[in-house]
Amino acid sequence: MDEITTLLQEYLLVPKPVGENERDSAREALRQSFEDLENLLLDEETWNIFLEDQYDITNLKTKLNSKNDEERAQIFKFGMSCLITFTQTNFTGPHPCEKVVNFLKSNTFQTHDFAKMLGYNNEEIYGKTEFPQLLVTAKIIFEWCIVNSIVNIWWYWRALYLHQQILDELSPSLLSDADRLYKLLQVNFNLKETIKVALDIEVAQLYLLFRHVSKARDHINSATESLNVKYDYVGVLGKRTKHQEKEISQLALKVNLNDEEKKSDEGPENSQATDFPHEIDTILTTDDAVLPKNLPLNDEVRLDNVAFSSNINENLVLPNLAQKLFLTIVQEMLIAKPEDELRNEELLPFVELILAQQNTFCVRVVALCLRSKAESKNRRTIERALRQCEEVLGAFTKEQPEAFDRFNDVFATGLPAMWKVTVQYANLLLNIGLPKNALDLYLKLQLWEEVIVCYTILKMRYKAADVIAQQLEKKPTIKLWCLLGDATDDISCYENAWELSKRRSHRVQRHWGNFLYNRKKYADCIPHFEKSVSINPLQATVWFRLGYAAHQTENWQVAATAYKRYTTLEPDGFEAWNNLAQAYLKIGNKRSAYQALQEALKCNFENWKVWENFLVVSSDISMYADVIRSYHRLLDLKEKYLNVQVLGELVCDVSDDTIDCEGLPAARFLQKTRELLGRVVSIYSGEGAVWELYAKLAPTATLKVQRYQRSYYAYTKNNQWCKDPKICNQILYICFELSDLWLSPEIECNVVVLSSIKLNLSSAISAIRKMEFPDTKESLDRLVGLLDAIAKKINSADKKK
């Protein structure tokens, strides 16, 4: 184990633990390692290994395998140098020294189209990615120049992360590569706990990039357990605004590290330890003077942070590894939870806790970007979000902190490329109503889709077409042809793009489908969307639109498949789950519809329409507990809600003690059903159908009679009731029930009540007979006989008196 640890430290995958007195010398050693790697990057002899073979993988694989161990180790470190420099140039800053830049821009590399080598499925990398030859070379080395299994896998995993970051679209090919490496990672490499945690976090980050939440969550949970970090939300009294007089309960995050419960016996001063045995001591700078500043809110109403009455995390020192874990948890929440205020309320305590600690460069940048994203939706915080993005962008270009202080945390924090932070800043400008300022940035970044949006807002859409046409003259690409079609509404542009891609581009089919979809030509757009997702299935928006188009054309099987695939990529979309349930119902799969609606409710617990669908489906599959729960929830949300059909099915099944979907008797829900009907009847006291159902559940015959009478009065309160054959039949049914109850030996004779019932029956017979409905004649004759029996019972009772 120590041998593997030493190897990982040598190849800069994990830092060496050092004491405080050794920190300066360790930093100097790390600085020297990065300088040596930078010098290695200028080794033309090593570059020639790849350039002479024209980057042919077959030849390179043979050539690299023929090297001895020492030569392979040297080439591998050359690959590390390539990846570090690529990361420094495109992700962390500052820019490499002039000597390195001039070398990488030399004519040596101009004969190869490295950007094309990094493209997948006709999908290009971001157009302004600098020095793509570095990533191409690094990936080949990490895959084929074997020095040690775990070292190769880990560095190649990092290369995959950077590769996906610079692609416009999620790549199935890269995901396949990641899954292949993931299987190799399942081999027990006998890593120390702390090293396993560091690897778990980086694995989770790449899977989050692919929106593969389940695998990412597995590694997050593994890292949390290994670090022995315990956290939970608690309510703490506090103030959110400057003028708030009374403290109210606020959401806070309580964190415990390293079995603090066991330490509590040592005294309160030791309840939060600054020592964290599971932590790899970091030697990266945490000097606030060289990190991007955490800017104040500067709002006249809101405080910068919630002012809690008590500090539940007092003296907490959150180590670097735990900070990166918490950032990963926040990023998982952003994908897995619905985009609403509640999500922001849940993730901000994590971010604020991290920012309250000493941070490394990457941790600080990612935490500030995440907070800016959360604050971009609120008018009181969007200004800070804008200023904070400016601060972060400025930090990328500063000389301090140094490159080695920025690199190691890139892959465990989910640090975005620098241009993506600029996009976040431009989006904020657009949100606050500054489309011209945003347009300037989008033009600089060559983000033509966003350029079209800005010109459309400015009512200058023709200008977008001109700009894209100019770019097409320079270099025709599939993407530009598609965007020209979007800007001009000319379908021939998509046809040109499709031919240019040799009929293999998912982007072309997506844009073509969107063109038809936006014009509500749903039947026509379906084939294009299907073709697009068959080429690249990682397109959540296309799956959703395909589902909707199929829904509109009542193609339920396609709709179900599309919505199902969408929910695997975007599990937080309650609308998709709800639509998926409807599609399942249309094809007769009620069980799957029920499960889909359960997921929809997890995403949106407050939507009464989803609860209503859930109620109906639960009733259809005899899930009585959920019928009762959902009906109560509908009454909570709407105050008034009546579904007599569902109530009727529930009452009949419970009364008849049928077997539910779990194979258990429904009678066990009798009391809960009575409580539900009691609540409903208190709201709808004038509804005869509700009293009728309530009567069926009455525990005694006397109570049953009283409720049937209430039902009778509710049905007959309208003088015109007898003109409706349906109500007449209901009245006849109630009269029969009342007669049978009073003629049964269970009920003691009460002349007053009997006389009242006799009057009810007489009135009903008289009113219904006048209407001369053919289907009531037989029932009326039978009711007359019962009326005579009741009259006899009254006479008998009078004689006894």
Side-chain angles (χ1 to χ4, degrees):
M1 185 182 293
D2 289 338
E3 184 181 340
I4 292 178
T5 302
T6 303
L7 193 66
L8 294 176
Q9 290 167 352
E10 179 188 348
Y11 284 94
L12 302 181
L13 288 164
V14 293
K16 296 179 181 178
V18 295
E20 188 60 37
N21 59 339
E22 302 172 307
R23 192 169 184 276
D24 290 341
S25 60
R27 279 181 59 77
E28 187 56 41
L30 184 60
R31 181 186 289 108
Q32 187 59 52
S33 295
F34 269 72
E35 287 179 3
D36 292 343
L37 287 173
E38 187 177 67
N39 292 331
L40 195 60
L41 187 68
L42 302 173
D43 182 9
E44 294 188 22
E45 186 177 335
T46 308
W47 276 110
N48 285 334
I49 294 174
F50 302 90
L51 293 169
E52 287 173 0
D53 281 317
Q54 301 290 311
Y55 280 85
D56 181 86
I57 298 297
T58 304
N59 293 338
L60 285 172
K61 181 180 176 181
T62 304
K63 186 179 289 188
L64 292 172
N65 284 333
S66 67
K67 304 289 184 182
N68 60 41
D69 290 349
E70 186 178 341
E71 289 173 330
R72 284 203 304 274
Q74 189 72 1
I75 292 172
F76 194 91
K77 289 184 177 179
F78 173 82
M80 290 166 53
S81 176
C82 289
L83 197 75
I84 289 169
T85 307
F86 181 81
T87 307
Q88 181 182 343
T89 306
N90 295 284
F91 286 77
T92 64
H95 223 56
C97 68
E98 188 176 351
K99 186 178 180 181
V100 169
V101 171
N102 290 337
F103 175 75
L104 294 173
K105 286 184 176 180
S106 65
N107 293 332
T108 307
F109 302 102
Q110 302 306 313
T111 56
H112 295 79
D113 191 346
F114 292 102
K116 187 175 182 180
M117 293 181 192
L118 292 171
Y120 274 109
N121 300 324
N122 287 292
E123 194 57 46
E124 302 166 353
I125 63 172
Y126 171 58
K128 302 198 76 173
T129 301
E130 293 196 72
F131 310 134
Q133 67 265 38
L134 296 173
L135 183 57
V136 172
T137 307
K139 284 190 69 181
I140 293 171
I141 291 172
F142 298 152
E143 186 169 14
W144 301 115
C145 185
I146 309 300
V147 294
N148 174 273
S149 295
I150 184 64
V151 171
N152 280 81
I153 291 170
W154 200 332
W155 272 103
Y156 192 58
W157 191 270
R158 290 179 167 186
L160 285 179
Y161 173 84
L162 298 181
H163 194 170
Q164 181 55 68
Q165 280 270 35
I166 63 171
L167 282 169
D168 287 344
E169 307 272 344
L170 294 179
S171 168
S173 300
L174 289 184
L175 178 57
S176 177
D177 275 354
D179 287 336
R180 175 174 57 83
L181 291 184
Y182 184 78
K183 290 178 181 177
L184 296 174
L185 284 174
Q186 304 309 303
V187 178
N188 184 7
F189 285 108
N190 200 21
L191 301 175
K192 283 185 176 179
E193 200 73 19
T194 44
I195 296 175
K196 184 177 180 300
V197 170
L199 181 57
D200 272 331
I201 294 173
E202 291 195 23
V203 169
Q205 283 291 352
L206 181 57
Y207 273 119
L208 286 177
L209 205 57
F210 286 110
R211 308 186 75 84
H212 206 317
V213 175
S214 58
K215 281 187 179 177
R217 192 174 287 152
D218 288 342
H219 287 276
I220 290 171
N221 293 339
S222 173
T224 304
E225 185 178 345
S226 298
L227 284 176
N228 201 13
V229 176
K230 297 179 176 63
Y231 60 89
D232 199 7
Y233 292 111
V234 295
V236 181
L237 291 176
K239 295 179 180 178
R240 191 179 289 267
T241 63
K242 295 177 180 178
H243 308 296
Q244 188 175 334
E245 295 182 1
K246 184 180 178 182
E247 292 181 333
I248 60 173
S249 183
Q250 307 283 352
L251 189 68
L253 188 70
K254 172 66 176 174
V255 178
N256 291 310
L257 302 178
N258 195 31
D259 290 332
E260 290 170 25
E261 297 85 354
K262 297 178 182 178
K263 297 182 179 183
S264 60
D265 296 336
E266 302 173 13
E269 67 276 6
N270 295 322
S271 63
Q272 294 279 7
T274 56
D275 178 37
F276 192 58
H278 290 310
E279 166 66 351
I280 301 174
D281 294 332
T282 181
I283 57 176
L284 305 180
T285 184
T286 56
D287 182 5
D288 255 5
V290 298
L291 298 179
K293 293 179 176 57
N294 177 10
L295 301 178
L297 193 58
N298 291 343
D299 187 74
E300 66 274 10
V301 176
R302 290 187 64 164
L303 295 167
D304 286 354
N305 299 306
V306 176
F308 293 108
S309 59
S310 60
N311 188 350
I312 58 173
N313 294 312
E314 191 172 3
N315 300 324
L316 173 70
V317 176
L318 198 63
N320 176 256
L321 206 53
Q323 291 180 34
K324 291 185 286 192
L325 172 62
F326 279 2
L327 285 176
T328 309
I329 290 170
V330 170
Q331 288 158 334
E332 185 267 338
M333 291 167 63
L334 285 170
I335 297 173
K337 289 181 176 288
E339 186 177 349
D340 53 24
E341 280 297 319
L342 179 60
R343 185 186 69 176
N344 288 344
E345 289 294 324
E346 289 179 349
L347 65 85
L348 282 174
F350 282 98
V351 176
E352 296 297 351
L353 178 63
I354 293 167
L355 291 173
Q357 307 290 317
Q358 286 189 318
N359 309 134
T360 59
F361 177 83
C362 289
V363 169
R364 176 67 63 84
V365 166
V366 173
L368 292 176
C369 287
L370 287 172
R371 189 182 65 184
S372 295
K373 187 172 184 177
E375 291 184 340
S376 64
K377 304 297 182 182
N378 189 300
R379 65 182 182 85
R380 291 205 170 276
T381 56
I382 191 170
E383 184 185 344
R384 175 167 67 175
L386 195 67
R387 289 187 287 113
Q388 197 67 76
C389 276
E390 290 175 346
E391 173 70 18
V392 169
L393 287 170
F396 284 133
T397 58
K398 293 179 180 177
E399 292 300 317
Q400 293 292 330
E402 297 178 60
F404 74 89
D405 277 319
R406 305 187 188 206
F407 176 76
N408 271 359
D409 281 354
V410 168
F411 310 97
T413 57
L415 182 77
M418 285 187 281
W419 65 271
K420 289 187 178 180
V421 181
T422 309
V423 171
Q424 184 175 341
Y425 178 63
N427 292 343
L428 283 166
L429 289 172
L430 200 60
N431 287 346
I432 63 174
L434 296 173
K436 288 185 179 179
N437 301 70
L439 176 62
D440 291 339
L441 288 174
Y442 292 140
L443 286 169
K444 184 178 178 181
L445 294 170
Q446 297 181 1
L447 299 175
W448 308 118
E449 288 176 87
E450 287 77 7
V451 166
I452 293 173
V453 171
C454 287
Y455 276 128
T456 302
I457 292 172
L458 294 169
K459 298 181 179 179
M460 299 170 64
R461 196 156 176 252
Y462 66 92
K463 187 70 175 175
D466 292 342
V467 170
I468 295 169
Q470 290 170 14
Q471 296 299 318
L472 268 172
E473 289 177 7
K474 296 177 184 177
K475 183 183 178 181
T477 66
I478 296 164
K479 183 176 180 180
L480 286 172
W481 272 116
C482 290
L483 293 174
L484 185 62
D486 293 346
T488 61
D489 297 334
D490 184 357
I491 207 166
S492 66
C493 294
Y494 306 128
E495 294 170 349
N496 292 337
W498 184 236
E499 294 303 323
L500 184 61
S501 74
K502 298 179 181 178
R503 299 174 172 264
R504 291 199 301 251
S505 171
H506 70 273
R507 176 186 286 275
V508 177
Q509 292 299 326
R510 183 181 73 220
H511 281 261
W512 202 337
N514 285 337
F515 174 83
L516 298 167
Y517 179 91
N518 292 332
R519 286 154 183 78
K520 299 184 178 181
K521 296 180 179 180
Y522 299 120
D524 295 335
C525 73
I526 288 174
H528 294 285
F529 285 149
E530 287 181 322
K531 185 68 175 176
S532 182
V533 293
S534 70
I535 299 170
N536 183 353
L538 300 180
Q539 302 180 88
T541 305
V542 179
W543 281 117
F544 187 86
R545 290 193 165 191
L546 173 58
Y548 184 82
H551 193 128
Q552 293 299 308
T553 56
E554 299 186 0
N555 190 341
W556 301 113
Q557 190 60 59
V558 171
T561 302
Y563 283 129
K564 181 62 179 173
R565 292 300 298 270
Y566 174 83
T567 55
T568 60
L569 296 171
E570 298 287 346
D572 64 322
F574 92 91
E575 187 178 356
W577 284 112
N578 192 47
N579 292 349
L580 174 60
Q582 186 175 351
Y584 278 143
L585 287 174
K586 292 292 185 179
I587 59 179
N589 192 342
K590 293 180 180 179
R591 176 67 61 176
S592 294
Y594 169 80
Q595 293 169 348
L597 287 168
Q598 282 185 311
E599 295 297 329
L601 291 173
K602 289 178 186 177
C603 301
N604 191 336
F605 199 71
E606 306 297 320
N607 190 296
W608 70 267
K609 290 183 179 179
V610 182
W611 278 107
E612 185 175 46
N613 292 339
F614 187 58
L615 171 76
V616 174
V617 174
S618 298
S619 178
D620 284 345
I621 65 172
S622 302
M623 188 67 76
Y624 303 119
D626 285 324
V627 171
I628 296 168
R629 179 170 71 97
S630 52
Y631 207 110
H632 276 298
R633 184 62 184 153
L634 281 163
L635 291 175
D636 292 338
L637 293 171
K638 290 176 65 68
E639 294 185 4
K640 285 190 172 186
Y641 179 78
L642 185 62
N643 190 323
V644 175
Q645 182 179 347
V646 167
L647 289 174
E649 291 174 0
L650 175 64
V651 169
C652 289
D653 290 346
V654 170
S655 301
D656 296 342
D657 197 16
T658 58
I659 301 301
D660 67 9
C661 64
E662 297 174 338
L664 298 172
R668 70 189 194 278
F669 296 109
L670 178 59
Q671 184 55 37
K672 289 186 176 181
T673 306
R674 284 172 177 162
E675 292 169 2
L676 173 61
L677 264 293
R679 185 178 180 187
V680 174
V681 84
S682 69
I683 299 170
Y684 294 97
S685 57
E687 287 289 336
V690 177
W691 279 110
E692 183 182 336
L693 294 172
Y694 199 31
K696 291 179 179 180
L697 298 175
T700 66
T702 303
L703 194 55
K704 193 171 284 191
V705 168
Q706 292 172 0
R707 291 176 182 174
Y708 273 128
Q709 280 195 292
R710 291 292 299 269
S711 177
Y712 177 91
Y713 296 138
Y715 275 127
T716 58
K717 65 184 177 183
N718 185 341
N719 292 332
Q720 304 299 312
W721 67 267
C722 57
K723 294 182 179 179
D724 187 340
K726 187 177 178 182
I727 295 180
C728 288
N729 284 318
Q730 289 296 119
I731 293 294
L732 288 170
Y733 171 78
I734 292 168
C735 289
F736 287 135
E737 289 294 317
L738 285 169
S739 303
D740 292 342
L741 283 167
W742 272 107
L743 292 173
S744 69
E746 299 175 35
I747 298 180
E748 294 181 7
C749 186
N750 184 317
V751 175
V752 176
V753 177
L754 271 173
S755 298
S756 173
I757 291 175
K758 180 185 175 185
L759 183 60
N760 294 154
L761 268 61
S762 299
S763 300
I765 292 169
S766 176
I768 297 172
R769 184 166 281 162
K770 287 179 182 178
M771 304 312 298
E772 297 182 349
F773 294 124
D775 58 341
T776 60
K777 186 176 185 304
E778 185 177 342
S779 298
L780 285 171
D781 292 341
R782 181 187 160 201
L783 193 57
V784 169
L786 291 172
L787 184 61
D788 291 340
I790 289 174
K792 290 177 182 177
K793 192 169 184 178
I794 292 172
N795 293 332
S796 176
D798 286 337
K799 288 177 182 178
K800 287 181 181 179
K801 290 183 179 180

